[in-house]
Amino acid sequence: MIEAATLITLLNDAAVSIFGGLLSASFCGIFSTRKNCRIFWVSMILMLIPQGAVCFFWSADFQRRMYPLILHLPLLILLYILTGKRLWPTISLLSAYLFCQMRRWLALLAAAVLPGAELTQKLAELAFTLPLLLILLRFIAPAIRQLANRPVRTQCQFGLIPALYYGFDYLTRIYTDLLSSGSPVVVEFMPTVCCAAYLVFLLYNSAEERRHNLLQQMQDNLQLQMSQAAREISDLRESQAMTVKYRHDLRHHLQYLLSCIENGQSERAKSYISGICAELEAQQVRRYCENEAVNLILAAFVKRAERAGIQIDIRGALPSVVSISDNDLCVILSNALENALHACLPIAVEGTDCTISVEFRFRTQSGRLFLQIINPCREEVRFEKGIPVSGRPGHGIGVQSIRALVARYGGDCQFLLEDDRFILRLFL
């Protein structure tokens, strides 16, 4: 006749085996097909038989020592076969073993409160098994399954703590009595591991944040370049449309001029030619400097400003070739002018005269560029450590891009607000 304590022990061992097996299989995502479900449950029942036999004919302590061989190894082989993966089944099994600690700790807490510590602990473990399992399967397993498709490095980082805990638990609690002996080195090992893991997480998260910010900046710069390219294409299309129009009208112009010449109306012909030349001149892209990229940027923003009733006063000279790449130069200038236009639009809407001053100089000997943009600004600007910041979504990215590019070239930039004028000065 099986004693009640032995029966509870057998049921508890079976429950924890099913608990860990289900979690491991769920982390591997093998329940996606009915065939895998049937194979898992049949294999699980077969693995429970030798586990119960060892506990019944020898002892529960010997069964715990043999647990890696009679359950973990067969379960690991099963997961390998069903998933076809090498590393992830191991990480899944180790993670499931770590989650079993939650079940045991809740039971220990119940045993500390209620009388009958040993029996209460085993009954509490049985009681907590199903609710905890359902919570983990519902909320935790989907997030862990997503890591199966991540790079091997990420999987190893995720599985490091479960692997350390697995080895620590068996070496200090199952195979030896080091943990219960109270040795400070052993007792403080896992808290130290948690501290180290936290520090590694902080460093890793900081590196990922920097990487994310860099990618975001690159994406914003590309978006800005695409927008600028779209504007330039639009201007080219307008110019092409005007060219087609003048080509179509050229025959009529020539016929009119021929008629004027034949009738001796040379002054009228000259006046007509002057008018045509003025119209053609108006369609040309205005040149503000020798640098083609900067010239196109300035021309595009001047047109946008004129449509909004804003004037842009441009002074300076820039050679065709400078030490700064065209892409970086366009990003800096476009972001600065975009911010200036945005600040001037509310003023222009009121009908008030609004002028943006742009000044740039390039020192050939040192290869350094000086750029200053001054625009009216009536909005309140908040500064943090000399840098303007904005709480509105999508704003402030231009300033970050300018600062990052200026820092890349070892330059310096200043943002000032003086007498309702926003001033950007940079030297790079």
Side-chain angles (χ1 to χ4, degrees):
M1 191 73 177
I2 301 178
E3 297 180 359
T6 304
L7 179 61
I8 293 175
T9 300
L10 289 174
L11 290 176
N12 189 38
D13 291 340
V16 72
S17 299
I18 295 174
F19 180 90
L22 274 173
L23 279 181
S24 302
S26 180
F27 295 162
C28 288
I30 69 170
F31 295 133
S32 56
T33 63
R34 292 183 179 180
K35 179 182 177 182
N36 286 350
C37 292
R38 288 195 295 268
I39 294 175
F40 171 80
W41 282 111
V42 171
S43 302
M44 200 71 211
I45 293 173
L46 293 176
M47 284 185 282
L48 290 176
I49 294 175
Q51 179 183 343
V54 171
C55 182
F56 182 77
F57 291 106
W58 281 273
S59 65
D61 182 64
F62 182 71
Q63 183 255 1
R64 282 194 297 271
R65 292 172 178 268
M66 297 298 295
Y67 210 76
L69 292 178
I70 62 178
L71 183 71
H72 291 166
L73 183 59
L75 179 59
L76 192 60
I77 295 174
L78 175 65
L79 296 178
Y80 283 151
I81 295 173
L82 293 180
T83 62
K85 298 179 180 179
R86 296 181 180 180
L87 178 62
W88 186 246
T90 303
I91 295 176
S92 298
L93 188 145
L94 294 173
S95 301
Y97 186 85
L98 180 62
F99 284 119
C100 289
Q101 171 63 23
M102 298 175 62
R103 173 180 174 273
R104 188 170 66 193
W105 185 85
L106 290 173
L108 288 171
L109 180 63
V113 176
L114 301 175
E118 184 176 356
L119 184 60
T120 301
Q121 178 184 343
K122 294 180 179 180
L123 290 174
E125 287 184 11
L126 283 173
F128 285 124
T129 298
L130 183 59
L132 185 59
L133 178 62
L134 293 177
I135 292 173
L136 292 174
L137 290 176
R138 174 65 178 84
F139 298 102
I140 306 301
I144 294 181
R145 278 197 296 271
Q146 295 178 357
L147 296 172
N149 299 321
R150 302 292 295 274
V152 174
R153 180 180 177 182
T154 304
Q155 295 182 22
C156 291
Q157 292 171 346
F158 173 78
L160 180 61
I161 297 299
L164 287 174
Y165 174 75
Y166 185 92
F168 175 81
D169 194 46
Y170 270 91
L171 289 176
T172 61
R173 194 178 64 87
I174 305 298
Y175 295 144
T176 67
D177 294 329
L178 289 175
L179 188 61
S180 60
S181 67
S183 173
V185 175
V186 178
V187 172
E188 298 297 332
F189 176 76
M190 284 310 296
T192 303
V193 169
C194 291
C195 292
Y198 180 70
L199 292 175
V200 171
F201 169 77
L202 287 178
L203 295 175
Y204 177 77
N205 186 68
S206 177
E208 285 294 309
E209 185 68 21
R210 288 194 298 269
R211 179 174 171 271
H212 173 75
N213 291 336
L214 179 60
L215 292 176
Q216 183 66 40
Q217 179 185 334
M218 293 174 60
Q219 182 180 358
D220 295 335
N221 291 343
L222 289 174
Q223 185 74 23
L224 182 61
Q225 293 177 21
M226 289 175 60
S227 301
Q228 187 60 37
R231 296 190 190 103
E232 293 174 7
I233 291 173
S234 177
D235 292 340
L236 288 174
R237 285 176 177 171
E238 291 181 7
S239 179
Q240 185 180 16
M242 293 300 297
T243 301
V244 172
K245 176 180 177 297
Y246 280 115
R247 184 182 300 169
H248 177 268
D249 295 339
L250 181 60
R251 181 169 55 89
H252 303 290
H253 294 319
L254 292 176
Q255 287 179 353
Y256 179 79
L257 291 172
L258 180 60
S259 176
C260 290
I261 293 172
E262 289 177 347
N263 294 323
Q265 299 176 343
S266 57
E267 293 300 326
R268 178 176 292 183
K270 291 179 182 180
S271 176
Y272 190 79
I273 292 173
S274 299
I276 294 175
C277 291
E279 291 183 13
L280 291 173
E281 187 69 24
Q283 300 304 318
Q284 294 182 354
V285 176
R286 283 172 281 184
R287 300 198 65 82
Y288 302 96
C289 64
E290 295 298 324
N291 189 280
E292 191 65 29
V294 172
N295 195 71
L296 289 173
I297 295 292
L298 292 173
F301 274 95
V302 166
K303 286 187 177 180
R304 289 180 57 191
E306 288 177 348
R307 296 192 193 104
I310 302 170
Q311 299 297 320
I312 297 184
D313 180 23
I314 301 173
R315 292 173 293 171
L318 199 63
S320 58
V321 179
V322 295
S323 57
I324 306 165
S325 70
D326 288 346
N327 287 341
D328 294 340
L329 202 55
C330 289
V331 168
I332 292 174
L333 191 57
S334 297
N335 276 307
L337 289 174
E338 189 75 40
N339 291 339
L341 277 179
H342 184 268
C344 291
L345 283 175
I347 303 175
V349 169
E350 297 175 358
T352 307
D353 292 337
C354 189
T355 302
I356 300 173
S357 174
V358 179
E359 180 182 356
F360 50 85
R361 295 190 302 271
F362 184 77
R363 298 179 180 178
T364 307
Q365 294 180 349
S366 61
R368 308 300 291 249
L369 170 68
F370 170 78
L371 173 65
Q372 177 176 273
I373 298 179
I374 304 175
N375 61 269
C377 181
R378 293 183 179 176
E379 295 183 0
E380 182 180 354
V381 181
R382 183 167 58 93
F383 286 83
E384 290 184 1
K385 297 181 180 180
I387 307 301
V389 295
S390 175
R392 291 178 295 179
H395 293 269
I397 298 175
V399 172
Q400 296 175 12
S401 299
I402 292 173
R403 292 184 61 222
L405 289 174
V406 170
R408 184 190 302 174
Y409 286 92
D412 186 30
C413 58
Q414 292 181 334
F415 303 91
L416 305 171
L417 187 63
E418 298 178 355
D419 300 327
D420 292 333
R421 297 186 309 161
F422 188 87
I423 303 172
L424 164 64
R425 293 194 187 102
L426 59 88
F427 186 75
L428 70 158

